Amino acid sequence: MMLRGSCASVGAVALVASAVLLLGPAVAAARDAVVTSFDGTPIVTHLFGPATPPPSGRAPTVLVGPTYSSPGATQPDEDSGSGPGLATLRAAGYNVVTWDPRGFGTSGGVSRLDSPAYEGRDVQAILSWLALQPEAQLDAPGDPRVAMSGLSYGATIQYVAAALDRRIDAIMPDSGWHSLISALFKDGAVKTSWLNALCTTGAPSGLTGGLLGAPGAQLGGVDPHLTTACVDGVAGNLSVADRRWFEAIGPGALVGRIRAPTLILQGTPDTFFPLSEAIANFAALRAHGVAAKMIWYCGGHGACATPAGDPQYPVREELAWLRRWLGRDRKVDTGPRFEWIDDQGTWRSGPDYPLAAAGTVAAAGRGTLSLSPFTSPKLGLTDLTTPDDHAASVRFARPRRGADLVGTPKIRLTYRGRADPARTFVYAQIIDAAARRVIGGETTPIPVVLDGRRHTIERPLEAIAVHTVAGSSYALQISSGGTTYALQHSLGSIRLTAVHATLPIVNAARSGRSVH
């Protein structure tokens, strides 16, 4: 797959030569256009000026990407989603651009899940169109002063676009992914509940567009690989061809090409794109010296079951990020590189991620577990924080009061057992035993081979962010199934002869990052 790099000059003006104004009722402070992308696909785009235009008539611009299957926002005086919306950004003095991603709304083409080869190049075409607009502040001819914002689908497109195009000055991805393989198919286990939600949200074919505007209704939809993955995923499988397609979407290694200052936001109870996705992206940015910050908040693709704190706190952080890097105001303090909200609803911070290790809370034990479709927890995206009463459970030592348990727990299982088929998964989750709650609703699949022989496996679990108080107590559960994953397909049992697990204790005042 050929990827186009940055450059406003490589055919940039040609990409937008066919941009035309839409016909129809005008929206106040808005201009609608159709931008023709690299392959001729029409991308419906909306430009909104600041609430109070600057004396120069030109302002920096924020591109706000929509969530999956949604068209771009068109209400200039409203906010939607968890981040700063059109009203807030316009009030702050920015132009705002929204668009209907290919395959959705009134744009053409088919969705390829933020692919660099398609959706990434669509954004490049929008940037080239924006550079020709009289409202846009420019850094150079063809180079608009621009940042990006958006949630989920609108988050990952930021990683992709910023990797391809250096004209993007800052990004603020909220609840995006690093890899759909690690997010949806960790260790080969299929996250069926979320895959089904993805498949039923984006219709594979049919009319997805409206009737107004130059391109008219579009025969949109999604790439056939997603359709076949949806069918195969019900049985917990993924073909080699579909796996390669998901791997090519990225952003993955492309994150290492980003140089734009990046504010990552990720939800502590996000079971679709868990904290590990943000951690991978942040690590890639920090490895290349990019100005980066990471915030974990109680939200994202998941219900917040603990105190959420001030819901406007992340919004204020995003606005500060824009003032610093889009407005280029060096006096703006964007704070420490890492901030998180704990399970008590308290915002905490540290100089970087990972934070310095300050010990562990350990668990050791053994147990047995029956495996069958009937012993799996109920599948779905509700009740994710309810512990499994049929699980094998091992208690952690009582932690000291006031400790920050932040980061990635680790597990080592020694086991033997028999099942048909022999290759299957068990599922590990950390329980707040005092509150009877699965921390973050997160479950990690552990691949096992139940052929009667002794085996040992080690795995990191999904990251946690808790603060211990008087009476805090935690346990590890090993279950036959995970609520977001495919139903247990084997029939048999496993004997856990040795279970060892650790929860990370951190020193929030010090960085744990290695200095090279």
Side-chain angles (χ1 to χ4, degrees):
M1 177 174 61
M2 181 177 179
L3 301 180
R4 293 292 176 90
S6 60
C7 313
S9 59
V10 183
V13 176
L15 285 173
V16 297
S18 58
V20 297
L21 291 180
L22 286 174
L23 301 177
V27 178
R31 187 165 68 258
D32 299 344
V34 179
V35 175
T36 301
S37 194
F38 72 99
D39 60 351
T41 298
I43 305 298
V44 174
T45 306
H46 317 283
L47 172 62
F48 306 86
T52 303
S56 68
R58 292 180 177 268
T61 303
V62 181
L63 271 62
V64 180
T67 56
Y68 180 70
S69 82
S70 299
T74 57
Q75 299 303 312
D77 297 318
E78 294 182 6
D79 286 334
S80 61
S82 61
L86 270 66
T88 296
L89 292 170
R90 294 181 61 243
Y94 303 111
N95 297 316
V96 179
V97 167
T98 67
W99 72 99
D100 298 0
R102 65 169 58 215
F104 302 123
T106 50
S107 290
V110 297
S111 171
R112 290 180 170 84
L113 300 185
D114 284 341
S115 163
Y118 292 91
E119 283 88 348
R121 293 167 75 181
D122 294 342
V123 172
Q124 288 187 290
I126 292 171
L127 293 175
S128 296
W129 167 82
L130 176 63
L132 301 179
Q133 306 313 304
E135 301 94 332
Q137 179 178 340
L138 303 181
D139 290 327
D143 182 1
R145 177 81 61 83
V146 65
M148 295 185 73
S149 176
L151 173 74
S152 188
Y153 198 65
T156 301
I157 189 59
Q158 298 176 54
Y159 292 120
V160 169
L164 297 181
D165 204 311
R166 295 288 175 85
R167 290 177 292 176
I168 297 172
D169 297 285
I171 60 175
M172 304 183 301
D174 183 347
S175 305
W177 66 82
H178 176 74
S179 164
L180 286 175
I181 295 297
S182 57
L184 283 172
F185 312 104
K186 188 181 291 289
D187 256 320
V190 179
K191 199 176 282 184
T192 304
S193 295
W194 276 115
L195 184 62
N196 286 345
L198 183 67
C199 297
T200 55
T201 300
S205 61
L207 290 175
T208 63
L211 299 176
L212 295 177
Q218 297 299 314
L219 287 173
V222 299
D223 190 282
H225 283 285
L226 180 59
T227 305
T228 57
C230 291
V231 174
D232 294 342
V234 173
N237 300 317
L238 186 68
S239 71
V240 173
D242 287 342
R243 182 181 179 88
R244 288 174 178 168
W245 182 76
F246 279 107
E247 288 174 337
I249 289 170
L254 272 180
V255 177
R257 293 172 53 179
I258 295 173
R259 296 298 178 266
T262 302
L263 172 62
I264 298 175
L265 300 101
Q266 209 82 7
T268 55
D270 195 323
T271 59
F272 195 0
F273 305 133
L275 296 174
S276 54
E277 298 297 305
I279 292 169
N281 286 328
F282 185 76
L285 294 167
R286 293 288 288 120
H288 290 85
V290 176
K293 175 171 180 168
M294 183 166 61
I295 296 175
W296 296 353
Y297 70 104
C298 200
H301 305 87
C304 184
T306 57
D310 180 359
Q312 290 301 305
Y313 187 83
V315 175
R316 291 194 294 272
E317 294 279 301
E318 290 179 82
L319 291 174
W321 198 257
L322 289 175
R323 289 195 301 273
R324 171 62 185 91
W325 297 108
L326 190 61
R328 299 185 181 176
D329 184 350
R330 294 179 178 273
K331 294 181 291 185
V332 175
D333 182 6
T334 57
R337 290 189 184 274
F338 178 44
E339 295 187 69
W340 75 96
I341 192 167
D342 65 24
D343 57 334
Q344 308 301 313
T346 301
W347 280 100
R348 300 185 181 277
S349 64
D352 208 336
Y353 188 90
L355 294 168
T360 59
V361 181
R366 60 183 62 194
T368 58
L369 186 66
S370 296
L371 305 181
S372 81
F374 308 105
T375 58
S376 292
K378 181 181 177 181
L379 301 184
L381 296 175
T382 59
D383 298 326
L384 298 183
T385 62
T386 303
D388 180 8
D389 291 335
H390 301 287
S393 184
V394 178
R395 288 270 183 167
F396 285 92
R398 183 79 68 171
R400 62 177 174 81
R401 181 179 179 179
D404 289 310
L405 309 184
V406 178
T408 305
K410 296 179 180 178
I411 185 175
R412 185 175 78 250
L413 300 180
T414 300
Y415 67 91
R416 68 172 68 233
R418 288 194 178 276
D420 184 21
R423 292 186 178 274
T424 186
F425 296 89
V426 294
Y427 298 84
Q429 53 194 18
I430 305 298
I431 306 297
D432 182 331
R436 276 196 55 78
R437 180 178 62 235
V438 179
I439 295 177
E442 301 287 2
T443 299
T444 305
I446 310 295
V448 293
V449 181
L450 302 178
D451 56 3
R453 299 177 181 176
R454 181 177 179 270
H455 299 275
T456 297
I457 186 169
E458 298 184 19
R459 283 294 186 275
L461 303 186
E462 295 296 354
I464 62 173
V466 302
H467 185 77
T468 62
V469 296
S472 289
S473 177
Y474 305 99
L476 168 72
Q477 283 194 336
I478 307 294
S479 299
S480 175
T483 52
T484 58
Y485 284 88
L487 199 67
Q488 176 61 248
H489 65 274
S490 291
L491 189 63
S493 64
I494 181 172
R495 183 159 58 94
L496 305 167
T497 57
V499 178
H500 296 276
T502 56
L503 306 178
I505 303 174
V506 299
N507 179 348
R510 294 176 53 208
S511 168
R513 182 168 296 278
S514 299
V515 178
H516 297 287

